[in-house]
Amino acid sequence: MAPAAVAALDDDLLREVFIFLPSPADLLRAALACKPFLRAVRNAAFLRRFRRLHGSSSTLLLGCLVHLCHPDQPAPFLLPSAGPAAAAKTRVARDGDFSLSFLPRGGWLGGDTWQFLDCRNGRLLLKNRESQELAVADPLAWRCISLPPSPAERPVGYGLVADYGDQSAFRVFFITQDGGSSDTRALVLSSGELSWSDVAGLPRRPNLTHSRAMQANGSLYWTLKGGHSMVALNTATMEFSILKLPIPFRQLSFDVVEKCEDGNVLYLLTFRGFCIEVWAGAEDGAGVLTWTQVEKSVRFHKAMAMMHDSPELYQHGLDVIGVVAGVVFLRQWNRLLSIDLETMQLRRLSEEDCSSASIYPYAIPWPPMFLNPAEHGA
């Protein structure tokens, strides 16, 4: 296209053309073609729209961040993702500091002990076990933001919400049940203000012990102890709700799954009877959430049996760690496994004993961060 023709197209018109590109790789090639194209793409609203439209393909899965909680391996490390584009993922990750030595006082390597609380869009939410200090860390940028102390006294849940359009922006949610109160409160801190605000309340005190945040359709979810229900917090309207789970899920681990074509339906993915099952929850005419099984995979029992030295070991229960970029991560006793939802290929990811490890899938928005408007003043 001639320079004069490019100059005649304003940024809004270019974005309406680029939104129809079939993949993030095509958008990246277009952005690198010339400065006007790159300027048009560096727009938070456009990137947010493009990434949501393209779902899991707009996320680059680099692997799993693993902390073994073992004296011989005090710091976390990145377990690289196998499969397609493995070499490209290695190039992206090689300059990162996944031991998090840039944390205050050197992190684990400096003698401190930190706890993973959540991981979204290449950012980690952590808490110092001794001082209770909260921080948001970016391993690829070697950057850490220490958060001000929360005014709440008794935290029961945390969540990290990233912005799909501006990778530098985030919000931290802090769920608390302080003494002397009969309700549950939600506090939020945004990266732009770095101060806590009380934004939502629930007139009961559900038990969120050992529940870590799940995220889909603009909401955060925590499973209640006993597995009968989960708490949902809509991060746009700041409203709490309690959702009953389907009966098969009450003794199973699972993750919520976002499907870009249907934001009004909540999808749950679990592993039962050596099969992947996906259930869909939608409100009926009376406003009641009803659940229907919509997908069931082939059985993996033979493949899992072949991975183990002992035929008895494969029968240990499986925990769903998370679903990211079309890959399910599972822990089977001390083994870390993954299943690609497109190819249904089962992989064993590590020879390490992961039975007590803290594990979070680690992915970044794609196209890459140099398109991020906050980094370039766009």
Side-chain angles (χ1 to χ4, degrees):
M1 184 178 289
V6 173
L9 300 174
D10 65 22
D11 290 350
D12 289 338
L13 183 57
L14 286 172
R15 292 179 194 124
E16 289 306 308
V17 173
F18 292 154
I19 200 68
F20 290 103
L21 290 172
S23 73
D26 294 311
L27 178 65
L28 182 58
R29 283 190 286 269
L32 295 177
C34 61
K35 289 183 177 180
F37 286 7
L38 182 59
R39 183 184 66 243
V41 170
R42 281 179 178 160
N43 175 271
F46 168 76
L47 289 173
R48 192 178 298 117
R49 181 183 170 197
F50 186 89
R51 286 166 176 159
R52 290 198 180 280
L53 181 64
H54 288 270
S56 62
S57 66
S58 63
T59 300
L60 185 66
L61 177 64
L62 299 186
C64 273
L65 197 60
V66 179
H67 184 217
L68 296 175
C69 307
H70 192 280
D72 294 336
Q73 181 75 47
F77 61 92
L78 182 71
L79 188 64
S81 174
K89 296 173 184 178
T90 300
R91 287 195 295 272
V92 172
R94 65 187 173 189
D95 293 328
D97 179 6
F98 294 95
S99 69
L100 307 182
S101 64
F102 55 87
L103 288 174
R105 300 169 298 280
W108 283 273
L109 298 179
D112 273 6
T113 55
W114 292 77
Q115 175 187 1
F116 293 159
L117 300 176
D118 204 356
C119 181
R120 305 286 168 184
N121 271 19
R123 306 259 172 165
L124 288 159
L125 176 62
L126 305 112
K127 180 175 71 173
N128 188 298
R129 291 184 181 274
E130 296 178 3
S131 68
Q132 305 301 302
E133 175 185 359
L134 295 175
V136 174
D138 182 345
L140 291 177
W142 294 50
R143 184 181 304 159
C144 172
I145 300 175
S146 293
L147 307 184
S150 166
E153 299 174 356
R154 186 173 178 267
V156 295
Y158 300 90
L160 177 64
V161 175
D163 189 316
Y164 281 86
D166 182 350
Q167 194 181 355
S168 67
F170 62 85
R171 289 181 293 165
V172 175
F173 286 82
F174 185 103
I175 310 302
T176 179
Q177 295 173 347
D178 287 349
S181 173
S182 60
D183 61 356
T184 300
R185 307 297 306 175
L187 283 70
V188 65
L189 173 148
S190 69
S191 54
E193 298 179 1
L194 291 182
S195 61
W196 294 100
S197 300
D198 189 329
V199 293
L202 181 69
R204 56 185 291 187
R205 294 166 67 95
N207 191 337
L208 306 182
T209 303
H210 305 307
S211 177
R212 77 188 204 182
M214 301 174 286
Q215 191 172 151
N217 299 351
S219 293
L220 291 166
Y221 303 89
W222 297 267
T223 307
L224 303 190
K225 189 175 182 179
H228 291 268
S229 305
M230 60 183 178
V231 174
L233 175 63
N234 187 310
T235 61
T237 64
M238 301 301 176
E239 294 177 331
F240 274 117
S241 57
I242 302 290
L243 308 178
K244 287 188 176 181
L245 292 169
I247 292 175
F249 279 67
R250 294 178 182 178
Q251 302 298 324
L252 299 171
S253 61
F254 63 91
D255 196 10
V256 296
V257 180
E258 184 164 315
K259 296 194 176 185
C260 56
E261 68 273 12
D262 197 347
N264 296 319
V265 179
L266 179 62
Y267 293 91
L268 308 181
L269 183 147
T270 192
F271 200 88
R272 182 170 67 135
F274 296 101
C275 297
I276 294 172
E277 292 185 2
V278 178
W279 290 60
E283 289 188 0
D284 60 16
V288 177
L289 192 65
T290 58
W291 295 98
T292 306
Q293 182 182 313
V294 293
E295 295 178 29
K296 186 172 183 177
S297 74
V298 297
R299 285 171 57 85
F300 287 91
H301 63 297
K302 291 184 179 179
M304 289 183 173
M306 293 174 63
M307 285 187 171
H308 293 83
D309 301 329
S310 168
E312 289 80 20
L313 287 178
Y314 85 93
Q315 299 180 43
H316 282 269
L318 284 110
D319 293 324
V320 175
I321 294 171
V323 184
V324 176
V327 178
V328 183
F329 292 91
L330 305 160
R331 174 167 30 207
Q332 185 182 33
W333 188 41
N334 64 346
R335 311 290 174 92
L336 180 59
L337 311 172
S338 72
I339 298 175
D340 186 306
L341 290 175
E342 182 176 352
T343 64
M344 287 297 161
Q345 182 174 3
L346 172 69
R347 290 188 175 95
R348 179 175 171 179
L349 301 181
S350 174
E351 299 296 325
E352 300 280 358
D353 182 348
C354 295
S355 55
S356 60
S358 180
I359 304 169
Y360 278 86
Y362 186 84
I364 61 173
W366 196 256
M369 66 178 68
F370 74 80
L371 297 183
N372 182 19
E375 300 291 334
H376 303 275

